[in-house]
Amino acid sequence: MSVLVYTESENGKFKKNAFEVASYAKAVAEQLGTSAVAISFNADANNDLGTYGISKVLNVTNDQLKTFNAEAYAKAITEAVNKEEANVVIVSSSANSKYLAPILAGKLKAGYAPNVVEAPNSTAPFTIKRTAFSNKGFAHTEITTDTKIVGVSNNAFGIVENNADAVVEDFSPSLDDNDFAVKSVEVDKVAGKVTIADAEIVVSGGRGLKGPENWGMIEELAEVLGAATACSKPVSDMGWRPHGEHVGQTGKPVAANLYIAVGISGAIQHLAGVSASKTKVVINNDAEAPFFKAADYGIVGDAFEVVPQLVEKLKEFKAQNA
Amino acid sequence: MKILVCISNVPDTTSKINFTDGDTKFDTNGVQFVINPNDEFGLTRAMWFKEKQGATVHIATVGDASVEPTMRKALAIGADEGIRINAVPTDGFFVAEQLANVVKDGAYDLVIAGRESIDYNGGMVPGILATLTGMNFINTCINLEVEGNTATAIREIDGGKEKVETQLPLVIGGQKGLVEESDLKIPNMRGIMMARKKALNVVEPIDAVKATVDNKFEKPAPKGTVKLVDSADELVALLHNEAKVI
C-alpha cells in the first residue's frame, strides 16, 4: 500500500504544482500510515521531492515522453500504481492532469474526485471536500472504489516542507505505438509568461478597459506583480483577448492567492469562476458594480488613473522590499 | 460520419445554488435547466459537420424524463435522433459507463462531450468513456477538423495551445472555441416543430460502478464587507500587511 503522486515537470524542471501535490500526497500517506511515492517524467533534481515528504521517486526517462501525452502517461502511471500497490493516486488541477486523470480512472476502475481543496477529512470511508457548481458550493465526496484518484485544486493545500530522503529509481514503463495514437503536431505557448493555472496572482481586465489597445496597463500591472493576465467573458467574446484568458464559469477557473479585477462589473458567472481566489481586489468606477460585494478590497475610481498609480506604488514597494 | 453528442442537463449559469434535505441534495426549486454550455459548443460543431460533410448526429443524455425538454432543444437545434438512458446520474463514472454502452452499440465515429458539466464539475465523463470504449481521446478541444479517418484538433493547454492529430473513432472533450459563441444555434419555430417528430429513444441503464458518492454539500462562507480604499498607496499597504499576498 502507498500513495502515488504524479509530479509535473517541463524541460526537466518541476512545476510549482509538483511540490504542492507532493506535499498533499505526504499528508494523505501520513493519514493512511504509509509512504508517498512520486512518478516523474524526464525530470532533473528528483531528490528535491524529498523536501516535500516523498520517500521514493520513480523517474521515467524517455524521449517519446518529452511532450505530454495523456494516454502514454496514463499507461506509465497505471504500471507504477500496480508496481507500488498504490491505492491512492494524487494529481494536480493543471490542464494536463485533468486530461490524464479520467483516463487513469477508466484504466484503474477508480473513483476520481477533482478540485479537492483539503486533505481527506476521513480515510475510512475516504471522504474529501471539493468545489462543485462552479465554486458556488462544496461537495463532501466519498470515493468508494479500492483505488482512489484525487485532483488537488491549485493553491488550495499549499507547499509544505516535510523532509525525507527521496530514493530515486529508474522506471521504464512498457509503451507501444497504440499509446501514442494522439500525436502532438505543434505546441504554441508564450515562453516566459506566467500561466493562469500556475499563477499565485492574476490580474484581469474587463469591458471597462474600453478596447484591446489599452491592455498594456493590465500587462504592466501583471509584470510588476509576477502575475498572469486574464479577462472577462465579453472581452474574449469581442476578440480583445484570446479565449484562453477568459475566466469564469464557462472559461477558466481561478484559484489565486490574489485576484485583481479591473473594469469588471462582476456577473454571477464571472464571480463563480474566481471565487476560489483567496483575496480579491476590485477597481471600478461604478460604486454599484456587483463585484464590490464579493471583493475584499476595492477602489472606486477610473482604471486609467488608478492602475498606473498602482503600478508606480508597487514598483516603489518592490524597490524597498528587494 | 456518425456523431454522438453527449448532452448534460444542468442549471442555467445564472442559477443561485441551494441545497435541501439536510444539505444532501441540490435544490432544483426555481432552477431553469439548460444544455451544458460546453456541450452546446460541441453540438453546434456537430451541426457544422452535418451541414458541410453530411454527418448524422445523435444526442444522448443520462437522466429521468425531466431531462427531455433539454433534449428536445438539442433536437430542435438540428440533431437527428435522441437517446435517453433512463437513470438518474449518480456520478461521473456511472454516466460514462452508461454512455459507453450506447457508444458501443451505435458504432459512432466521433463522440463529442463537453470537457465538464457546470454542475458537478467532474470533467471525467469524456475521458472515462474513451477509455472504456477504446476510442482515442482529446480533451479541452477548441477546434476540430475531420478529413476521411483523420482528425486534427487544437486543444487548450496551460498558457497556450497544442495541435494534435489522431484517427477516428475519437472522443473529444469540447469547450468554448469549438465554435464562436456568436455561432451558437438558437432553435427556430421550424426546428421546434420538427423536433417533436424526431425519435427520442429511451433505453434502460446497465449495471455500473458508482465510484463516488456526494454525501453532503455546503455553500461557501458568506463574504465580509469590502474594504474601500482611496489610494493605491493604501491598497499596497493592505495587501502587504493585512492580506499578506505581496
Side-chain angles (χ1 to χ4, degrees):
Chain A
M1 187 171 98
S2 68
V3 174
L4 186 87
V5 54
Y6 161 51
T7 49
E8 293 180 41
S9 59
E10 202 167 74
N11 302 323
K13 274 189 72 178
F14 283 113
K15 295 175 82 171
K16 194 194 95 189
N17 70 32
F19 302 133
E20 186 169 19
V21 289
S23 305
Y24 188 94
K26 173 63 180 172
V28 177
E30 271 184 357
Q31 280 179 279
L32 290 168
T34 182
S35 57
V37 179
I39 179 167
S40 67
F41 294 84
N42 298 309
D44 307 325
N46 280 292
N47 290 317
D48 288 359
L49 294 173
T51 310
Y52 309 100
I54 299 299
S55 50
K56 179 156 81 172
V57 184
L58 302 176
N59 181 38
V60 181
T61 309
N62 182 332
D63 279 351
Q64 275 187 297
L65 300 176
K66 280 203 162 152
T67 303
F68 174 81
N69 183 298
E71 185 66 35
Y73 274 46
K75 173 102 168 274
I77 295 170
T78 302
E79 283 187 19
V81 165
N82 293 334
K83 176 182 175 315
E84 295 298 321
E85 296 177 342
N87 46 4
V88 182
V89 182
I90 312 286
V91 300
S92 81
S93 285
S94 71
N96 285 351
S97 278
K98 285 195 165 182
Y99 188 178
L100 174 81
I103 303 176
L104 271 180
K107 284 183 188 294
L108 295 165
K109 299 279 180 283
Y112 163 46
N115 310 317
V116 169
V117 292
E118 290 173 1
N121 50 28
S122 150
T123 54
F126 194 93
T127 310
I128 42 85
K129 181 177 175 179
R130 65 185 189 90
T131 60
F133 299 96
S134 307
N135 295 323
K136 292 182 203 167
F138 294 102
H140 292 267
T141 302
E142 180 185 337
I143 307 179
T144 55
T145 47
D146 291 342
T147 309
K148 299 149 178 57
I149 304 174
V150 176
V152 183
S153 196
N154 296 334
N155 296 320
F157 187 75
I159 293 172
V160 182
E161 291 198 11
N162 210 329
N163 279 310
D165 284 327
V167 178
V168 181
E169 198 177 292
D170 287 335
F171 180 60
S172 304
S174 54
L175 302 171
D176 57 44
D177 286 350
N178 289 334
D179 302 315
F180 295 90
V182 177
K183 292 182 180 60
S184 180
V185 179
E186 193 182 319
V187 175
D188 176 11
K189 204 169 166 178
V190 184
K193 212 178 160 197
V194 185
T195 66
I196 295 172
D198 293 334
E200 287 183 25
I201 303 178
V202 174
V203 178
S204 192
R207 252 187 305 203
L209 269 292
K210 295 193 165 75
E213 66 280 5
N214 297 323
W215 224 258
M217 67 181 193
I218 296 290
E219 276 166 353
E220 214 178 336
L221 181 56
E223 199 185 327
V224 69
L225 286 165
T229 57
C231 69
S232 65
K233 183 172 178 290
V235 163
S236 81
D237 286 349
M238 288 184 289
W240 295 0
R241 300 300 297 165
H243 289 315
E245 286 195 8
H246 161 204
V247 299
Q249 199 166 0
T250 55
K252 277 199 165 57
V254 173
N257 287 334
L258 171 61
Y259 181 77
I260 303 180
V262 181
I264 299 175
S265 60
I268 188 169
Q269 298 92 335
H270 188 86
L271 296 181
V274 304
S275 70
S277 297
K278 294 189 179 89
T279 301
K280 293 181 272 293
V281 172
V282 170
I283 298 167
N284 203 304
N285 59 7
D286 175 10
E288 300 301 314
F291 215 148
F292 282 115
K293 290 202 176 79
D296 299 283
Y297 303 106
I299 295 184
V300 179
D302 183 352
F304 293 92
E305 287 171 21
V306 175
V307 174
Q309 285 168 9
L310 187 56
V311 169
E312 282 316 305
K313 293 297 168 196
L314 284 165
K315 280 182 182 166
E316 282 171 25
F317 170 80
K318 271 179 81 176
Q320 283 162 12
N321 291 275
Chain B
M1 182 162 57
K2 197 172 168 193
I3 303 174
L4 182 74
V5 183
C6 304
I7 301 283
S8 192
N9 178 56
V10 299
D12 170 52
T13 59
T14 60
S15 302
K16 294 252 185 333
I17 302 299
N18 290 303
F19 303 107
T20 180
D21 289 13
D23 288 335
T24 57
K25 287 193 178 67
F26 170 61
D27 184 359
T28 56
N29 209 2
V31 171
Q32 169 140 22
F33 282 83
V34 296
I35 300 173
N36 178 44
N38 289 313
D39 304 345
E40 203 176 353
F41 290 110
L43 178 64
T44 306
R45 190 63 188 166
M47 289 304 113
W48 186 90
F49 285 118
K50 181 178 169 175
E51 284 158 22
K52 307 279 184 202
Q53 299 183 358
T56 305
V57 179
H58 291 177
I59 56 161
T61 302
V62 179
D64 59 19
S66 69
V67 305
E68 290 195 359
T70 299
M71 296 185 75
R72 287 283 173 206
K73 186 182 170 196
L75 293 171
I77 285 169
D80 301 299
E81 208 174 299
I83 303 157
R84 178 168 70 78
I85 300 145
N86 190 26
V88 174
T90 48
D91 74 308
F93 209 111
F94 175 85
V95 170
E97 286 211 83
Q98 302 305 329
L99 290 168
N101 190 45
V102 164
V103 169
K104 281 176 192 158
D105 284 350
Y108 293 98
D109 304 295
L110 175 65
V111 177
I112 302 179
R115 75 166 149 89
E116 72 172 15
S117 63
I118 62 163
D119 48 6
Y120 295 93
N121 306 112
M124 66 187 85
V125 170
I128 298 176
L129 165 61
T131 307
L132 295 177
T133 54
M135 292 166 85
N136 294 325
F137 173 49
I138 302 169
N139 207 11
T140 55
C141 244
I142 51 172
N143 188 272
L144 177 68
E145 309 277 353
V146 178
E147 282 298 325
N149 214 31
T150 301
T152 308
I154 296 176
R155 72 177 197 97
E156 196 174 285
I157 56 174
D158 289 334
K161 294 184 267 194
E162 181 184 28
K163 187 174 180 183
V164 294
E165 200 175 276
T166 194
Q167 301 297 305
L168 301 182
L170 170 68
V171 178
I172 68 155
Q175 61 178 51
K176 183 180 174 184
L178 259 186
V179 296
E180 290 303 318
E181 181 132 337
S182 53
D183 291 335
L184 287 176
K185 290 184 184 291
I186 298 163
N188 56 26
M189 191 47 74
R190 188 164 169 266
I192 293 166
M193 298 306 284
M194 282 171 70
R196 288 184 184 169
K197 293 181 194 152
K198 289 178 180 172
L200 207 166
N201 306 306
V202 179
V203 300
E204 291 307 313
I206 54 165
D207 280 339
V209 174
K210 286 186 182 70
T212 57
V213 183
D214 292 326
N215 290 328
K216 204 170 168 61
F217 297 99
E218 65 179 270
K219 286 170 72 163
K223 192 85 203 144
T225 326
V226 62
K227 197 175 267 188
L228 289 177
V229 297
D230 295 321
S231 70
D233 241 351
E234 202 182 338
L235 180 62
V236 171
L238 285 167
L239 292 179
H240 181 62
N241 299 322
E242 192 175 85
K244 301 190 191 312
V245 285
I246 59 170

